Amino acid sequence: MNNNFPQISNAVINIRVIATIVIVFYHCTCPFHAWSNVIGGGNNPDIANVLRFITLGVVYDTMLPTFFLISGMIYFARIDSYNDRIKTFWKKFDRLFIPVAIVTSVCLWLRKSVGLPELSAGHLWFVEVLGIYFIITLLLYKVKPIWLLAISLCMHGAYVASTKYQVEFPWEFGHILKYFVYFAIGYYADFYYDCLAKKKVVKYAVLVITLFLLCIRQQTLYSFTFNALLLCFIPNQEPTNGLWLSLNRNSFAIYLLHHPIVVALLYTPLFQDLYSQFTCLPIALMFVLALVVSWVLSEGLHKVGFNYF
């Protein structure tokens, strides 16, 4: 298949690492805007409001689509190697669903043994939905990307309509409808990368449109242009920093592990007090601990031959 992926793989690495860092940071700020069962007041309401704007206004519901986007880019770049769909399915099952089962089991055990809340495994829906997307695209292996995009747009439209009429979906069906469009767009993000990243008129047009949509709070369109903005401005330079490359290598494990760590720490008396009395300090401390601990755990697991993460 004609694609640019070998030439833009460095951009994908850089986007993946940045998205991983942002997701960890976002969950560290959740006591201030999302987790009502945790006291998150802080000592500086102005800074707290800025953080709410950044997390809820700028990056909320944009970085998870980024993961779906780059997953789609990688999938379509490698699609010619997926002729044996049964073998590919089992590889994806092994890569996605088994880690979900492992982390879910550990979270259930911790909840029963030490009282961690159910929230500790709440982030795994992303991996489940990504696995469903791989199944859908493998079943539709011979369908042209343009038709996959059309299907995904219909799914997204159904999701938007469901939110308007307050339709409740079982399991993760709402997420499946909502995010498939980003996965499908991965083909075109790969194909038209040069236009996005190298033509200044296009780059700055995307920037202006994105800022405009942010100002008028048009979240649906903003999520699309925000991810186009990442492709426009994040450099496609080969990373040489060892820590950066290690973050990329461990990004999936960091995503799987950081959330239970955040929750475990959040329900300790120390962090309950910190989040109720301070604003920046608990977020910074939580971010460092969650990122470093999940990172070190991932490296340790890889060194002993445990490669599911």
Side-chain angles (χ1 to χ4, degrees), residues 113-133:
S113 60
V114 297
L116 281 181
E118 189 174 358
L119 187 63
S120 57
H123 66 306
L124 297 179
W125 68 264
F126 162 77
V127 186
E128 297 168 356
V129 170
L130 182 59
I132 295 298
Y133 291 163

Side-chain angles (χ1 to χ4, degrees), residues 177-229:
L177 291 175
K178 181 178 182 180
Y179 291 108
F180 187 49
V181 64
Y182 298 98
F183 188 90
I185 284 175
Y187 172 83
Y188 296 94
D190 172 17
F191 199 84
Y192 293 105
Y193 174 79
D194 286 346
C195 179
L196 286 170
K198 296 181 179 180
K199 293 187 177 181
K200 288 187 177 180
V201 173
V202 175
K203 289 173 66 171
Y204 290 102
V206 172
L207 175 60
V208 170
I209 293 170
T210 302
L211 292 174
F212 173 73
L213 293 172
L214 177 62
C215 291
I216 66 172
R217 298 190 177 184
Q218 172 45 255
Q219 186 66 39
T220 299
L221 294 177
Y222 169 74
S223 295
F224 289 104
T225 60
F226 178 89
N227 282 280
L229 196 66

Side-chain angles (χ1 to χ4, degrees), residues 8-229:
I8 68 167
S9 57
N10 293 323
V12 169
I13 290 173
N14 292 327
I15 292 171
R16 182 192 292 125
V17 173
I18 292 170
T20 300
I21 292 170
V22 170
I23 287 293
V24 176
F25 173 77
Y26 170 79
H27 284 134
C28 294
T29 67
C30 279
F32 289 105
H33 57 74
W35 294 346
S36 59
N37 55 334
V38 180
I39 298 173
N43 64 336
N44 194 320
D46 292 332
I47 294 178
N49 287 333
V50 171
L51 287 171
R52 288 189 189 96
F53 172 75
I54 293 172
T55 52
L56 294 180
V58 179
V59 302
Y60 176 72
D61 208 20
T62 55
M63 298 313 292
L64 274 174
T66 301
F67 284 114
F68 288 120
L69 175 69
I70 60 177
S71 296
M73 292 172 71
I74 294 170
Y75 170 83
F76 287 109
R78 298 174 177 171
I79 196 169
D80 289 338
S81 65
Y82 295 156
N83 291 325
D84 189 341
R85 281 171 281 174
I86 299 299
K87 183 178 180 180
T88 301
F89 167 78
W90 284 115
K91 282 185 177 180
K92 298 301 181 184
F93 183 89
D94 190 60
R95 174 65 173 158
L96 297 173
F97 290 107
I98 290 181
V100 167
I102 293 171
V103 175
T104 300
S105 299
V106 171
C107 288
L108 288 171
W109 175 77
L110 288 172
R111 191 165 80 243
K112 290 184 178 180
S113 60
V114 297
L116 281 181
E118 189 174 358
L119 187 63
S120 57
H123 66 306
L124 297 179
W125 68 264
F126 162 77
V127 186
E128 297 168 356
V129 170
L130 182 59
I132 295 298
Y133 291 163
F134 282 121
I135 293 172
I136 292 173
T137 48
L138 287 171
L139 289 173
L140 301 176
Y141 178 76
K142 294 186 178 181
V143 174
K144 293 182 178 180
I146 186 65
W147 292 113
L148 281 178
L149 180 60
I151 292 169
S152 70
L153 287 170
C154 291
M155 292 168 65
H156 193 79
Y159 169 78
V160 172
S162 73
T163 59
K164 180 178 180 180
Y165 296 103
Q166 299 181 337
V167 177
E168 297 286 339
F169 291 112
W171 188 53
E172 302 297 348
F173 193 71
H175 286 141
I176 292 171
L177 291 175
K178 181 178 182 180
Y179 291 108
F180 187 49
V181 64
Y182 298 98
F183 188 90
I185 284 175
Y187 172 83
Y188 296 94
D190 172 17
F191 199 84
Y192 293 105
Y193 174 79
D194 286 346
C195 179
L196 286 170
K198 296 181 179 180
K199 293 187 177 181
K200 288 187 177 180
V201 173
V202 175
K203 289 173 66 171
Y204 290 102
V206 172
L207 175 60
V208 170
I209 293 170
T210 302
L211 292 174
F212 173 73
L213 293 172
L214 177 62
C215 291
I216 66 172
R217 298 190 177 184
Q218 172 45 255
Q219 186 66 39
T220 299
L221 294 177
Y222 169 74
S223 295
F224 289 104
T225 60
F226 178 89
N227 282 280
L229 196 66

